Amino acid sequence: MKNELLKKVSMIELFYDLVFVYMISQVTGLIHHLQNGVISLSALSIFNLVVIVSINSWMVQTVFNNRYGKSQWSNVILSFVDIAIVLYMSNAFSDTFDRHLIGFFIAAGLLSLTLAIQYLLVFVQTKNEYDRNIAMAFMRILFFRTACLLAGGVLAGRWGTTIALFGIITSWIIPAFTGKHTQKHPHYFLSFIRTTNGLDYYYVR
Protein backbone atom coordinates (compact mmCIF):
# COMPACT_ATOMS: atom_id res chain seq x y z
CA MET A 1 0.00 0.00 0.00
CA LYS A 2 3.00 2.34 0.24
CA ASN A 3 2.86 3.08 -3.49
CA GLU A 4 -0.85 3.87 -3.41
CA LEU A 5 -2.35 7.32 -2.95
CA LEU A 6 -4.81 7.18 -0.05
CA LYS A 7 -7.65 9.51 0.87
CA LYS A 8 -9.72 8.68 3.93
CA VAL A 9 -13.50 8.65 3.59
CA SER A 10 -15.17 11.26 5.80
CA MET A 11 -18.01 10.46 8.19
CA ILE A 12 -20.27 12.80 6.23
CA GLU A 13 -19.71 10.74 3.07
CA LEU A 14 -20.51 7.52 4.93
CA PHE A 15 -23.67 9.07 6.38
CA TYR A 16 -24.64 10.28 2.90
CA ASP A 17 -24.38 6.69 1.67
CA LEU A 18 -26.58 5.48 4.52
CA VAL A 19 -29.26 8.02 3.60
CA PHE A 20 -29.34 6.60 0.08
CA VAL A 21 -29.63 3.09 1.51
CA TYR A 22 -32.66 4.34 3.45
CA MET A 23 -34.14 5.74 0.25
CA ILE A 24 -33.72 2.44 -1.57
CA SER A 25 -35.34 0.62 1.36
CA GLN A 26 -38.29 3.01 1.12
CA VAL A 27 -38.79 2.53 -2.60
CA THR A 28 -38.76 -1.27 -2.30
CA GLY A 29 -42.02 -0.87 -0.41
CA LEU A 30 -43.67 -0.05 -3.77
CA ILE A 31 -43.23 -3.64 -4.97
CA HIS A 32 -44.15 -5.37 -1.73
CA HIS A 33 -47.87 -4.90 -2.20
CA LEU A 34 -49.53 -7.09 -4.80
CA GLN A 35 -52.80 -6.40 -6.61
CA ASN A 36 -54.54 -9.62 -7.55
CA GLY A 37 -51.26 -11.46 -7.12
CA VAL A 38 -49.17 -9.16 -9.35
CA ILE A 39 -47.27 -5.90 -9.05
CA SER A 40 -49.14 -3.05 -10.70
CA LEU A 41 -47.56 -1.49 -13.78
CA SER A 42 -47.59 1.99 -12.24
CA ALA A 43 -45.88 0.78 -9.04
CA LEU A 44 -43.20 -1.06 -11.02
CA SER A 45 -42.63 1.96 -13.29
CA ILE A 46 -42.28 4.37 -10.35
CA PHE A 47 -39.99 1.89 -8.59
CA ASN A 48 -37.69 1.85 -11.63
CA LEU A 49 -37.86 5.63 -11.94
CA VAL A 50 -36.94 6.30 -8.31
CA VAL A 51 -34.16 3.68 -8.30
CA ILE A 52 -32.61 5.12 -11.48
CA VAL A 53 -32.71 8.68 -10.11
CA SER A 54 -31.29 7.52 -6.76
CA ILE A 55 -28.44 5.45 -8.16
CA ASN A 56 -27.54 8.07 -10.78
CA SER A 57 -27.45 10.85 -8.16
CA TRP A 58 -25.41 8.69 -5.79
CA MET A 59 -22.94 7.78 -8.53
CA VAL A 60 -22.41 11.42 -9.57
CA GLN A 61 -21.90 12.53 -5.96
CA THR A 62 -19.60 9.61 -5.14
CA VAL A 63 -17.42 10.19 -8.21
CA PHE A 64 -17.18 13.86 -7.26
CA ASN A 65 -16.18 12.99 -3.69
CA ASN A 66 -13.63 10.48 -4.91
CA ARG A 67 -12.04 12.93 -7.31
CA TYR A 68 -12.45 16.34 -5.65
CA GLY A 69 -13.92 15.82 -2.18
CA LYS A 70 -12.29 17.97 0.49
CA SER A 71 -13.19 18.87 4.07
CA GLN A 72 -13.99 22.48 3.27
CA TRP A 73 -17.02 24.47 4.36
CA SER A 74 -18.69 24.55 0.92
CA ASN A 75 -18.60 20.75 0.52
CA VAL A 76 -19.79 20.17 4.09
CA ILE A 77 -22.73 22.57 3.76
CA LEU A 78 -23.77 21.19 0.37
CA SER A 79 -23.47 17.64 1.70
CA PHE A 80 -25.92 18.40 4.52
CA VAL A 81 -28.27 20.09 2.05
CA ASP A 82 -28.08 16.98 -0.16
CA ILE A 83 -28.82 14.72 2.81
CA ALA A 84 -31.92 16.78 3.67
CA ILE A 85 -33.12 16.62 0.05
CA VAL A 86 -32.61 12.86 -0.18
CA LEU A 87 -34.51 12.32 3.07
CA TYR A 88 -37.41 14.32 1.61
CA MET A 89 -37.23 12.38 -1.67
CA SER A 90 -37.42 9.12 0.30
CA ASN A 91 -41.02 9.92 1.18
CA ALA A 92 -42.04 11.99 -1.85
CA PHE A 93 -43.55 9.29 -4.05
CA SER A 94 -46.39 6.79 -4.07
CA ASP A 95 -47.34 3.77 -6.20
CA THR A 96 -49.34 5.86 -8.69
CA PHE A 97 -48.47 8.65 -11.12
CA ASP A 98 -50.17 11.37 -9.13
CA ARG A 99 -49.18 14.76 -7.73
CA HIS A 100 -46.75 13.11 -5.32
CA LEU A 101 -44.22 12.95 -8.17
CA ILE A 102 -44.25 16.75 -8.46
CA GLY A 103 -42.42 17.05 -5.15
CA PHE A 104 -40.11 14.19 -6.06
CA PHE A 105 -39.09 15.72 -9.40
CA ILE A 106 -38.53 19.16 -7.87
CA ALA A 107 -36.45 17.68 -5.04
CA ALA A 108 -34.43 15.60 -7.52
CA GLY A 109 -33.90 18.74 -9.59
CA LEU A 110 -32.59 20.61 -6.54
CA LEU A 111 -30.29 17.67 -5.77
CA SER A 112 -28.90 17.89 -9.30
CA LEU A 113 -28.48 21.64 -8.83
CA THR A 114 -26.36 21.22 -5.69
CA LEU A 115 -24.18 18.70 -7.53
CA ALA A 116 -23.79 21.17 -10.39
CA ILE A 117 -22.79 23.90 -7.92
CA GLN A 118 -20.08 21.63 -6.51
CA TYR A 119 -18.59 21.22 -9.97
CA LEU A 120 -18.98 24.97 -10.55
CA LEU A 121 -16.86 25.61 -7.45
CA VAL A 122 -14.20 23.23 -8.77
CA PHE A 123 -14.25 25.04 -12.12
CA VAL A 124 -13.81 28.43 -10.43
CA GLN A 125 -11.21 27.38 -7.87
CA THR A 126 -8.88 25.20 -9.95
CA LYS A 127 -6.42 26.32 -12.60
CA ASN A 128 -5.74 22.81 -13.86
CA GLU A 129 -6.98 22.55 -17.46
CA TYR A 130 -7.98 18.89 -17.15
CA ASP A 131 -10.03 19.49 -14.01
CA ARG A 132 -11.70 22.54 -15.53
CA ASN A 133 -12.73 20.45 -18.55
CA ILE A 134 -14.13 17.72 -16.29
CA ALA A 135 -15.98 20.27 -14.18
CA MET A 136 -17.42 22.00 -17.25
CA ALA A 137 -18.60 18.71 -18.77
CA PHE A 138 -20.41 17.60 -15.62
CA MET A 139 -21.78 21.07 -14.98
CA ARG A 140 -23.50 21.05 -18.36
CA ILE A 141 -24.90 17.56 -17.78
CA LEU A 142 -26.18 18.41 -14.30
CA PHE A 143 -27.66 21.78 -15.23
CA PHE A 144 -29.45 20.07 -18.11
CA ARG A 145 -30.82 17.39 -15.79
CA THR A 146 -31.81 20.07 -13.27
CA ALA A 147 -33.80 21.93 -15.92
CA CYS A 148 -35.57 18.76 -17.08
CA LEU A 149 -36.46 17.61 -13.56
CA LEU A 150 -37.71 21.03 -12.46
CA ALA A 151 -39.74 21.28 -15.67
CA GLY A 152 -41.16 17.85 -14.92
CA GLY A 153 -42.21 19.02 -11.47
CA VAL A 154 -43.72 22.28 -12.69
CA LEU A 155 -45.58 20.89 -15.70
CA ALA A 156 -46.62 17.63 -14.00
CA GLY A 157 -48.85 15.22 -15.90
CA ARG A 158 -47.74 13.21 -18.91
CA TRP A 159 -45.62 15.97 -20.49
CA GLY A 160 -43.86 16.75 -17.23
CA THR A 161 -43.03 13.10 -16.60
CA THR A 162 -41.78 12.67 -20.19
CA ILE A 163 -39.45 15.67 -19.92
CA ALA A 164 -38.14 14.50 -16.53
CA LEU A 165 -37.52 10.98 -17.87
CA PHE A 166 -35.71 12.39 -20.90
CA GLY A 167 -33.41 14.39 -18.64
CA ILE A 168 -32.77 11.41 -16.36
CA ILE A 169 -31.94 8.97 -19.16
CA THR A 170 -29.82 11.47 -21.09
CA SER A 171 -27.81 12.48 -18.01
CA TRP A 172 -27.22 8.77 -17.29
CA ILE A 173 -25.79 8.11 -20.77
CA ILE A 174 -23.77 11.25 -21.57
CA PRO A 175 -21.06 10.78 -18.87
CA ALA A 176 -19.93 7.70 -20.81
CA PHE A 177 -18.63 10.10 -23.47
CA THR A 178 -16.53 12.23 -21.10
CA GLY A 179 -13.64 9.76 -20.99
CA LYS A 180 -11.28 12.02 -22.93
CA HIS A 181 -11.43 14.42 -19.98
CA THR A 182 -11.88 12.11 -16.98
CA GLN A 183 -8.98 9.83 -17.92
CA LYS A 184 -6.68 12.78 -17.22
CA HIS A 185 -7.77 12.71 -13.58
CA PRO A 186 -8.91 9.16 -12.64
CA HIS A 187 -10.96 8.84 -9.49
CA TYR A 188 -10.38 6.70 -6.42
CA PHE A 189 -11.86 3.33 -5.53
CA LEU A 190 -13.21 2.56 -2.08
CA SER A 191 -11.12 0.08 -0.10
CA PHE A 192 -11.16 -1.21 3.45
CA ILE A 193 -7.78 -0.99 5.14
CA ARG A 194 -7.00 -2.40 8.56
CA THR A 195 -5.08 0.11 10.64
CA THR A 196 -3.88 0.18 14.23
CA ASN A 197 -7.22 1.73 15.17
CA GLY A 198 -9.27 -0.93 13.44
CA LEU A 199 -10.88 -1.12 9.99
CA ASP A 200 -10.90 2.22 8.16
CA TYR A 201 -12.42 3.27 4.86
CA TYR A 202 -10.15 4.82 2.23
CA TYR A 203 -10.32 5.87 -1.37
CA VAL A 204 -7.35 4.25 -3.12
CA ARG A 205 -5.90 5.27 -6.46
Side-chain angles (χ1 to χ4, degrees):
M1 300 303 296
K2 292 182 179 180
N3 296 325
E4 300 288 354
L5 178 61
L6 304 180
K7 183 165 74 76
K8 191 170 183 178
V9 179
S10 69
M11 293 302 295
I12 295 177
E13 293 174 51
L14 292 175
F15 184 65
Y16 186 80
D17 291 346
L18 289 176
V19 172
F20 268 97
V21 171
Y22 169 73
M23 185 172 180
I24 296 298
S25 69
Q26 288 291 95
V27 72
T28 55
L30 295 176
I31 55 176
H32 281 177
H33 306 289
L34 303 181
Q35 296 182 3
N36 299 320
V38 297
I39 301 172
S40 67
L41 180 60
S42 63
L44 184 60
S45 299
I46 294 174
F47 170 80
N48 290 328
L49 169 66
V50 175
V51 168
I52 289 173
V53 172
S54 302
I55 293 178
N56 184 239
S57 299
W58 178 82
M59 287 174 60
V60 173
Q61 181 66 65
T62 300
V63 169
F64 175 86
N65 289 338
N66 293 0
R67 186 176 279 127
Y68 300 117
K70 297 179 181 179
S71 298
Q72 57 188 32
W73 66 269
S74 57
N75 285 339
V76 172
I77 291 175
L78 289 172
S79 293
F80 279 114
V81 171
D82 289 344
I83 288 171
I85 293 174
V86 174
L87 286 174
Y88 173 81
M89 290 171 61
S90 301
N91 298 283
F93 51 81
S94 65
D95 59 354
T96 57
F97 283 92
D98 54 16
R99 296 188 66 83
H100 284 88
L101 283 180
I102 295 177
F104 178 81
F105 284 146
I106 292 176
L110 294 176
L111 183 62
S112 293
L113 179 61
T114 62
L115 295 173
I117 291 173
Q118 288 180 310
Y119 276 105
L120 175 61
L121 292 175
V122 171
F123 181 81
V124 172
Q125 295 171 357
T126 186
K127 295 182 179 179
N128 183 293
E129 180 183 357
Y130 299 138
D131 288 330
R132 287 174 66 87
N133 289 335
I134 293 172
M136 176 59 71
F138 279 91
M139 265 198 304
R140 290 174 175 173
I141 295 170
L142 290 166
F143 278 129
F144 172 76
R145 189 175 76 169
T146 297
C148 290
L149 287 168
L150 292 179
V154 171
L155 296 177
R158 181 177 299 176
W159 279 107
T161 302
T162 301
I163 294 173
L165 285 174
F166 177 74
I168 292 166
I169 294 172
T170 303
S171 63
W172 184 291
I173 296 173
I174 292 180
F177 300 94
T178 62
K180 64 179 181 180
H181 301 309
T182 56
Q183 66 181 354
K184 304 296 183 180
H185 187 162
H187 62 82
Y188 298 79
F189 293 92
L190 183 63
S191 292
F192 306 94
I193 301 174
R194 187 168 298 281
T195 64
T196 56
N197 297 322
L199 192 64
D200 288 335
Y201 303 88
Y202 285 87
Y203 291 125
V204 181
R205 187 171 67 193

